[in-house]
Amino acid sequence: MKKPVNIGVIGVGHLGQHHARILHEIEGANLIGISDVNEEAGKAAAEKYGVKYFKDYRDLAKEVEAVTVVVPTFLHHDVAKYFLQNNIHTFIEKPITKTLEDANDLVATAGEKQLTLQVGHVERFNAAMVKLQSLVENPRFIECQRLCAFSNRIQDVGVVLDLMIHDIDIVLSLVKSPIKRIDAVGIPVLSEHEDIANAHIVFENGCIANLTASRVSEDKVRKLRVFELDKYISLDHAEQTITMAHKSSEEKKIVCEALDIQKAEPLRKELEHFIYCIQEKKKPLVTYKDGKNALEVALEILAQCKLSLNA
């Protein structure tokens, strides 16, 4: 059995608490410590899992081989850069950073140090999404919907970097073609950032993707639909279900079937994969380049949203 990876969690807010829980439980990970600027929350989480609390995340560098960075987006670059410079493998929640310049800096540092830098696009580890990747061959149209109610939890970015970036990453992983054109619109409703956005992406190979994200909706929706010449696939991320429709070979009708999916907690699968990549020196499923590519498209969508507001 491989030696467990000594790891720490930076930030134990809503999502970081789940990082700590999972890393405390899974094989291959040895949770050493937790850091959070909120001393009360940090100490409570550290006590819960029987590990040390570090008020200053930099002090964790002497104790660990790896960290997960679960802090607000504007802090991603500085926190991740510190650990990478200190030869520590780093998992960073999406989006990789807030700017392309910062993303390029992290990519260069990780490459130079030959470290694992994985970006937290968790939907790629959703059991239904894993199945979908094996089914999609030549998508012609993709429709994504990601809607939820408003929350004050995320205040430093709008809905594009908060929610839509999940679907941007998924679409880029499914469509193996450069982007030809992006048209997008977004408006603020309850915050100073865009709270509703729609993006229309046209690829060089003719595929079109339509992405809608909202954080001011009554219903919670996380759905994806992929249309090909001979089949249609509908996926529900929340339920981890897939329905596939295709033409009957015997008569002129559409046959629908629900596929068998072995459901699992996506974040657990994602963090297990991070540990595996460190131990086996493997390339992550979601590389830092994937994270940078998703950010680049998201920033172009944001630029289009600003143009739409000023039109």
Side-chain angles (χ1 to χ4, degrees):
M1 182 180 289
K2 293 281 184 180
K3 178 186 172 185
V5 174
N6 291 333
I7 191 166
V9 176
I10 316 301
V12 283
H14 174 76
L15 184 55
Q17 290 181 39
H18 293 292
H19 277 242
R21 168 181 59 83
I22 291 167
L23 290 170
H24 177 69
E25 295 172 351
I26 63 176
E27 275 189 37
N30 181 26
L31 183 62
I32 293 291
I34 285 167
S35 179
D36 197 293
V37 293
N38 183 327
E39 194 168 336
E40 183 180 352
K43 283 183 175 179
E47 183 179 351
K48 182 176 183 179
Y49 299 112
V51 299
K52 287 196 268 185
Y53 167 71
F54 296 81
K55 187 170 185 178
D56 188 332
Y57 67 82
R58 289 172 284 240
D59 294 333
L60 247 176
K62 305 164 191 170
E63 310 273 344
V64 298
E65 305 160 67
V67 291
T68 67
V69 177
V70 201
V71 298
T73 304
F74 72 93
L75 295 172
H76 281 189
H77 173 264
D78 289 352
V79 176
K81 180 70 179 283
Y82 180 81
F83 287 108
L84 291 171
Q85 285 179 321
N86 283 275
N87 299 301
I88 292 168
H89 303 288
T90 302
F91 176 102
I92 185 167
E93 271 299 343
K94 60 78 196 165
I96 182 171
T97 54
K98 205 166 183 179
T99 71
L100 272 181
E101 181 182 6
D102 284 348
N104 285 329
D105 188 37
L106 293 187
V107 167
T109 305
E112 177 188 337
K113 298 278 191 177
Q114 296 186 317
L115 293 165
T116 300
L117 174 59
Q118 184 175 327
V119 185
H121 286 283
V122 69
E123 294 289 23
R124 294 265 215 112
F125 295 86
N126 186 304
M129 191 65 225
V130 173
K131 181 68 174 177
L132 181 96
Q133 291 277 4
S134 69
L135 298 172
V136 172
E137 298 172 282
N138 185 25
R140 308 316 299 149
F141 177 68
I142 301 174
E143 183 177 35
C144 305
Q145 288 183 305
R146 195 169 291 264
L147 320 173
C148 67
F150 185 76
S151 167
N152 287 316
R153 186 171 59 85
I154 304 293
Q155 298 183 8
D156 62 322
V157 296
V159 76
V160 172
L161 290 178
D162 179 21
L163 298 181
M164 187 182 283
I165 198 162
H166 282 296
D167 295 313
I168 293 170
D169 173 67
I170 288 169
V171 167
L172 293 180
S173 75
L174 293 174
V175 185
K176 313 298 189 210
S177 174
I179 291 174
K180 182 178 181 180
R181 188 180 75 252
I182 296 175
D183 296 307
V185 61
I187 57 171
V189 179
L190 297 176
S191 77
E192 61 182 21
H193 303 286
E194 79 290 344
D195 294 313
I196 302 174
N198 175 265
H200 186 79
I201 305 174
V202 180
F203 291 87
E204 294 283 359
N205 69 356
C207 181
I208 294 173
N210 191 59
L211 287 67
T212 301
S214 168
R215 56 184 185 185
V216 287
S217 299
E218 291 185 5
D219 299 322
K220 187 171 183 177
V221 178
R222 288 162 50 201
K223 292 186 177 180
L224 169 76
R225 299 174 181 86
V226 181
F227 296 82
E228 298 195 350
L229 292 176
D230 59 349
K231 62 179 177 286
Y232 156 67
I233 307 168
S234 177
L235 179 151
D236 188 313
H237 296 283
E239 298 297 326
Q240 296 189 43
T241 58
I242 291 182
T243 301
M244 187 164 71
H246 56 86
K247 290 186 291 185
S248 170
S249 57
E250 299 176 0
E251 52 186 308
K252 289 186 177 181
K253 69 175 185 177
I254 302 296
V255 178
C256 295
E257 59 176 322
L259 304 188
D260 184 37
I261 305 293
Q262 298 299 311
K263 298 180 182 181
E265 184 180 9
L267 184 59
R268 181 179 295 270
K269 290 294 183 182
E270 184 177 45
L271 294 175
E272 286 175 341
H273 180 71
F274 178 55
I275 297 298
Y276 166 79
C277 289
I278 294 169
Q279 291 178 325
E280 301 295 335
K281 296 185 166 84
K282 297 289 187 181
K283 180 180 175 182
L285 173 65
V286 183
T287 67
Y288 46 68
K289 290 182 180 177
D290 292 329
K292 190 188 82 166
N293 291 341
L295 175 65
E296 186 172 16
V297 174
L299 291 177
E300 174 58 27
I301 290 170
L302 281 174
Q304 294 283 335
C305 290
K306 288 178 183 176
L307 284 175
S308 71
L309 282 175
N310 295 327

